[in-house]
Amino acid sequence: MKKGLFKWLRLSLILSIIVSLLVACSSGSSGTAKDGKVTLKVLDWNGTNTKETEKLIKETVEKELPNINLEFEYINWDTDFSSVMQTRIAGNQLPDIIMIKGGDHPKYTEHLMDLSSEEFMNEFPADIRKALQIEGKDYAVPYTSNFQGVFYNKRIFTENHIEIPKTWDELMKVAETLKAKGITPFTNHFKDYQIGNNFNQFATLEVFSKYPTWGNDLQKGKVSFADSAEFKTVFEHFKDVSKYSNKDPFGLDFTGAAEMFAKEETAMWIIGTWSTAQVLKNNPNLEIGFFPTPATDANNTKIIMQPDHTFSGSAKTEHPKEVKQVLEIFATNKELAKNYIDLVQTESLIPDVVSDVKAPYVNDINHYKNIGALDANIGNVQIPWPYQEQSGSYIAEWLLGKKTLDKALKATDDYKSKVKFSTK
Amino acid sequence: MNLDGKNIQPIDAAVSAKPTSIFHKKKKANSSSMQYFLLLLPPLLFFTVGMIIPLMMGIYNSFTDWDGISLEKHWIGLANYMEIFKDEMFINSFKFTGLFMIFNTLIQNVAAFVFAVFLDSSIRAKNFYRIIIFAPVLLSPILVGQIWTKMYGTILPSINDILGLSINFNLFSSPDTVLTGLVIANNWQWIGYWMLIYLAGLQAVPKDLYEACTVDGGNWWQKFLHITIPMLGPSITICTIGIATGSLKVYELIVASTGGGPGDSSKSTIMYIYDSAFMSQRSSYASAMSVVFLFVLLIFAFIQLKILRKREVEL
């Protein structure tokens, strides 16, 4: 009797272990709590003042939609976004709301909510909507934009009586002048993504502004990097910049670069507005100026703008109504939008929302907007980011003497078959 | 030997003599097997769900054109496999990984062995040295990558500034030195771990063998050559296979230190597979490369095991 009882006890213990393991493995997805409150998961890659932006968004949503609770998950866009999205899609666990970088949408349209018929999308001017539309449909609420160009040390420029360059040749003359005075002209962090980013900046100015369908023609085999005089110029720009670079650019990453620029060890940095928060963290008193990256032809020298933070809904969310309500807040709540851009130190894509940030570079950006802006996504959509990064690797090999320029261009052409283009 | 059956009971007779006892034994055995099966069920379930099914799905995907995101996939046969052997980036990544493995296997084995021999002797403060050498094993490879990035990028170059020298310490900045830099970082982390395996092996060598050798007039070198090394045969097998397969799978250290650069000079095979799957969105091609790499690892481990086991027997 006692033996039998012990046997059953053992069996039930084993079964309870199995059941508890299975229960532990079940996913804790978004859902409705007993009190009727809906929890929506948000995938966010913003890396600037995240605690503050999360608090701001949560409080605003809670005020307007008390039945909705937001749960944030943060990832690094550069290193993790693609893999996280891919695994979540494969696992059918896409978060309800996803922050997507402008230009990344075409990859994910099958899995995103179509927002074209939503009333709140009419808040945005047609050109902003068009920049993010895929086959005429809206899949994202545009939210912020970044600007890319040359950030410079105002003190160094003023003390050395340096004029703002308008062409690439003038930029090189400025670099030569600075070098002659013992000042390192450029901050270069070729260890991480800078070559990829600068590749897109130079290509947007030198190639895509003249041939807006160059990327599509590349896919069709009508053009190639090796045969393009303009792309040869793009590659040569890196050689020029390297001549006037800080020591050991291949050993320096973004954080180190921001520290170097903040300590006034260099005079210029070709990058985007996302870098300013990190620079000012290191030196809040630094006077950062901004001018558009000069093109070979002064007529093509324009400020490069890119839709940055955008919000999309998952097509398979269990709470489509609530997701749309939250997206509507993003699209219509101007106070939230203003506070958000002040925290992230960027610019809003919502009409009439202007940042309170009074830094000199913001004034410069506003000034240069008048000469015309180029959308960075012209390049991003046609030459997907992984392709740009890989081209950066070939440029690095050329700069380090491991490839000739022709071989680097040819390798870039050959990589075409190894990457999926974003455009459908 | 007399086997006339005097003391041997026929099986049938034994069964018919005690049928109830056999039945009870069988029942007990069945019940016991059931319990073992139930106990094995959770790991079996996890192994099937976590290993077998994904492996099968991966193999299936390698014959398709799936990008990892799209809802559609098409059967393309062996096209992905054909491409692998023409892919210069795969071949280069494989060469880099192979060199990384060879240097690590040689250096770590020799260094771990030497440290173990010294720290098994009667030198002073040996426990302190053991802790110092073992400590990096406890760190994550990500942290090791960051430590050595800082070491090569900031700490060691400051020696140049202090002493007015111009030694190139930043081994991660050039395609010519990046392999050396990574091998140093990897060895720094793992020598202590393999040293422990050799230490355990050394402590298991019977002392009377050394005494017998001393009686026969053997010197230190002869003892080392004819007793220590042969007796450590199983440890050498474990360490060689462990270091080699670990080096072939290197990923975190590279991600945290060089990111595969400069250019593609330190891109390991696993890293290239990851980039193809998640950055270039060529999931099916990455699956095909994974299958090829799995076979390479299996063949490699099998050959090593065969050679080393044979050597153990010979020793």
Side-chain angles (χ1 to χ4, degrees):
Chain A
M1 177 69 186
K2 203 176 172 183
K3 216 173 176 183
L5 188 74
F6 186 65
K7 195 176 92 183
W8 280 110
L9 197 70
R10 274 191 298 178
L11 275 172
S12 54
L13 200 68
I14 292 165
L15 285 171
S16 66
I17 291 169
I18 297 169
V19 171
S20 60
L21 280 169
L22 290 174
V23 169
C25 287
S26 65
S27 70
S29 60
S30 59
T32 313
K34 279 178 188 170
D35 58 1
K37 232 179 172 181
V38 172
T39 299
L40 299 178
K41 292 197 169 185
V42 184
L43 189 71
D44 191 331
W45 52 260
N46 169 46
T48 313
N49 295 325
T50 46
K51 270 186 194 168
E52 292 82 354
T53 52
E54 180 177 332
K55 191 169 170 253
L56 172 73
I57 295 170
K58 273 183 169 174
E59 280 176 2
T60 311
V61 169
E62 201 179 356
K63 207 168 148 190
E64 292 193 30
L65 304 163
N67 65 321
I68 293 176
N69 179 40
L70 297 181
E71 199 177 291
F72 281 75
E73 180 190 350
Y74 291 98
I75 53 165
N76 180 315
W77 175 79
D78 182 37
T79 55
D80 303 328
F81 188 75
S82 290
S83 58
V84 168
M85 283 296 280
Q86 204 162 315
T87 46
R88 297 293 164 86
I89 287 167
N92 218 1
Q93 288 181 326
L94 207 56
D96 304 284
I97 296 168
I98 310 141
M99 179 187 277
I100 300 185
K101 204 176 186 74
D104 279 353
H105 300 89
K107 277 196 229 173
Y108 307 114
T109 45
E110 285 173 306
H111 307 277
L112 301 179
M113 203 180 258
D114 182 358
L115 304 172
S116 311
S117 56
E118 299 303 319
E119 188 67 27
F120 58 76
M121 289 306 292
N122 296 328
E123 294 283 324
F124 299 97
D127 58 331
I128 291 176
R129 277 178 76 171
K130 204 180 165 193
L132 291 169
Q133 279 175 338
I134 296 126
E135 291 173 353
K137 288 182 180 173
D138 296 290
Y139 292 95
V141 171
Y143 209 56
T144 72
S145 63
N146 65 49
F147 292 92
Q148 298 171 31
V150 183
F151 291 82
Y152 70 96
N153 185 314
K154 284 214 165 199
R155 184 190 62 78
I156 294 176
F157 268 53
T158 312
E159 284 176 7
N160 293 284
H161 312 290
I162 291 169
E163 294 278 314
I164 300 297
K166 291 185 181 66
T167 65
W168 187 261
D169 287 342
E170 285 176 21
L171 179 70
M172 289 305 110
K173 274 179 197 156
V174 168
E176 188 58 50
T177 310
L178 288 166
K179 196 179 174 184
K181 294 187 177 196
I183 300 161
T184 307
F186 291 108
T187 307
N188 285 329
H189 53 107
F190 292 165
K191 189 176 177 180
D192 49 24
Y193 66 88
Q194 195 192 7
I195 300 187
N197 168 269
N198 286 186
F199 175 89
N200 192 39
Q201 285 200 39
F202 300 155
T204 302
L205 297 167
E206 306 288 4
V207 187
F208 305 132
S209 60
K210 289 186 223 166
Y211 311 106
T213 59
W214 199 91
N216 293 329
D217 291 344
L218 177 75
Q219 287 179 61
K220 289 171 192 161
K222 290 181 187 171
V223 292
S224 71
F225 287 95
D227 294 331
S228 164
E230 289 82 4
F231 255 109
K232 204 171 179 180
T233 307
V234 167
F235 275 49
E236 279 166 345
H237 281 355
F238 285 96
K239 196 79 155 186
D240 295 339
V241 170
S242 293
K243 274 188 236 163
Y244 303 104
S245 171
N246 50 286
K247 257 192 214 169
D248 195 21
F250 289 95
L252 193 72
D253 61 9
F254 172 78
T255 316
E259 195 182 328
M260 183 180 273
F261 188 68
K263 284 182 179 170
E264 304 191 70
E265 290 172 19
T266 57
M268 293 177 279
W269 187 8
I270 307 175
I271 196 74
T273 37
W274 59 85
S275 60
T276 51
Q278 185 73 20
V279 173
L280 293 171
K281 210 180 263 181
N282 286 303
N283 181 1
N285 300 320
L286 185 73
E287 282 216 18
I288 310 172
F290 175 91
F291 60 84
T293 304
T296 311
D297 178 352
N299 292 325
N300 293 327
T301 301
K302 286 177 182 168
I303 193 166
I304 297 172
M305 187 272 281
Q306 180 184 30
D308 202 4
H309 306 84
T310 75
F311 291 98
S312 299
S314 163
K316 287 187 180 170
T317 177
E318 289 170 22
H319 309 284
K321 192 182 128 204
E322 287 81 1
V323 167
K324 281 178 188 170
Q325 284 175 326
V326 175
L327 292 179
E328 186 175 358
I329 292 176
F330 282 122
T332 56
N333 191 319
K334 293 190 176 177
E335 195 188 337
L336 170 68
K338 193 193 156 301
N339 290 332
Y340 189 88
I341 57 167
D342 284 347
L343 284 170
V344 181
Q345 299 190 7
T346 185
E347 299 236 354
S348 180
L349 285 171
I350 295 172
D352 309 324
V353 175
V354 183
S355 169
D356 268 350
V357 178
K358 294 285 180 229
Y361 73 89
V362 177
N363 296 335
D364 290 343
I365 287 171
N366 289 331
H367 164 70
Y368 284 113
K369 274 182 191 169
N370 300 328
I371 64 167
L374 281 171
D375 183 356
N377 282 338
I378 305 172
N380 278 331
V381 173
Q382 296 179 65
I383 313 281
W385 176 244
Y387 201 167
Q388 291 174 36
E389 278 208 309
Q390 188 55 42
S391 308
S393 291
Y394 297 133
I395 291 168
E397 284 172 8
W398 169 52
L399 295 176
L400 289 161
K402 294 288 162 190
K403 270 189 169 71
T404 61
L405 175 57
D406 289 340
K407 280 193 177 165
L409 286 160
K410 191 184 173 301
T412 310
D413 275 320
D414 293 343
Y415 192 72
K416 188 173 73 174
S417 63
K418 291 186 175 61
V419 70
K420 187 179 161 65
F421 281 75
S422 300
T423 43
K424 283 188 162 185
Chain B
M1 191 181 276
N2 181 14
L3 287 173
D4 56 1
K6 232 180 201 177
N7 298 319
I8 302 169
Q9 207 172 16
I11 293 168
D12 288 350
V15 171
S16 57
K18 291 179 178 177
T20 332
S21 154
I22 293 291
F23 177 73
H24 274 296
K25 271 185 186 169
K26 266 190 174 175
K27 201 180 162 191
K28 201 176 172 186
N30 281 343
S31 161
S32 180
S33 312
M34 186 65 182
Q35 279 186 31
Y36 287 132
F37 176 74
L38 278 173
L39 276 169
L40 274 175
L41 198 59
L44 198 69
L45 203 71
F46 280 107
F47 185 71
T48 311
V49 173
M51 287 283 288
I52 306 293
I53 296 173
L55 183 69
M56 293 302 154
M57 283 167 70
I59 293 171
Y60 172 74
N61 282 337
S62 70
F63 295 103
T64 68
D65 64 350
W66 192 46
D67 63 6
I69 290 175
S70 172
L71 296 170
E72 288 177 8
K73 58 176 102 167
H74 306 102
W75 183 266
I76 56 165
L78 290 168
N80 285 326
Y81 288 93
M82 307 286 269
E83 194 185 329
I84 290 172
F85 300 101
K86 290 184 271 175
D87 184 350
E88 204 182 322
M89 284 177 77
F90 179 79
I91 294 163
N92 287 341
S93 73
F94 199 76
K95 274 185 198 163
F96 169 81
T97 313
L99 286 172
F100 185 76
M101 178 204 72
I102 290 167
F103 287 122
N104 275 319
T105 310
L106 289 173
I107 298 167
Q108 272 179 53
N109 253 321
V110 173
F113 195 98
V114 170
F115 279 131
V117 169
F118 278 109
L119 295 179
D120 191 45
S121 65
S122 50
I123 61 161
R124 279 177 134 193
K126 61 184 176 187
N127 283 339
F128 172 74
Y129 292 125
R130 283 179 190 179
I131 291 167
I132 294 288
I133 296 167
F134 184 75
V137 176
L138 304 172
L139 303 175
S140 131
I142 298 282
L143 198 59
V144 172
Q146 288 172 347
I147 288 171
W148 281 92
T149 303
K150 199 83 182 157
M151 187 75 92
Y152 293 139
T154 317
I155 299 169
L156 292 175
S158 65
I159 295 173
N160 279 339
D161 300 337
I162 295 165
L163 302 176
L165 301 170
S166 58
I167 303 165
N168 175 26
F169 284 113
N170 206 340
L171 302 182
F172 288 159
S173 301
S174 163
D176 300 325
T177 55
V178 70
L179 177 65
T180 312
L182 286 166
V183 167
I184 291 171
N186 192 265
N187 281 308
W188 176 79
Q189 179 172 25
W190 291 111
I191 282 172
Y193 181 80
W194 302 113
M195 179 194 77
L196 277 196
I197 306 272
Y198 281 124
L199 262 176
L202 280 171
Q203 283 163 8
V205 179
K207 296 287 173 272
D208 46 1
L209 287 177
Y210 292 111
E211 284 161 16
C213 188
T214 311
V215 170
D216 289 344
N219 59 22
W220 178 87
W221 175 246
Q222 284 166 326
K223 281 180 201 171
F224 180 73
L225 202 66
H226 299 295
I227 299 171
T228 309
I229 292 181
M231 291 304 284
L232 284 181
S235 304
I236 295 171
T237 307
I238 291 167
C239 291
T240 306
I241 295 174
I243 298 166
T245 48
S247 303
L248 285 173
K249 292 188 289 182
V250 64
Y251 178 73
E252 297 101 316
L253 174 69
I254 298 178
V255 166
S257 55
T258 66
D264 288 329
S265 58
S266 63
K267 195 168 262 187
S268 70
T269 308
I270 297 280
M271 200 171 177
Y272 181 51
I273 292 172
Y274 177 88
D275 283 355
S276 298
F278 296 111
M279 304 305 282
S280 309
Q281 271 186 266
R282 300 185 77 215
S283 201
S284 58
Y285 184 58
S287 296
M289 285 194 285
S290 303
V291 172
V292 170
F293 195 56
L294 176 71
F295 276 108
V296 170
L297 282 175
L298 285 175
I299 293 166
F300 189 77
F302 181 75
I303 293 169
Q304 271 189 327
L305 206 62
K306 278 279 168 199
I307 293 171
L308 291 167
R309 283 272 184 243
K310 196 173 163 224
R311 181 98 184 111
E312 271 176 40
V313 174
E314 282 169 5
L315 287 168

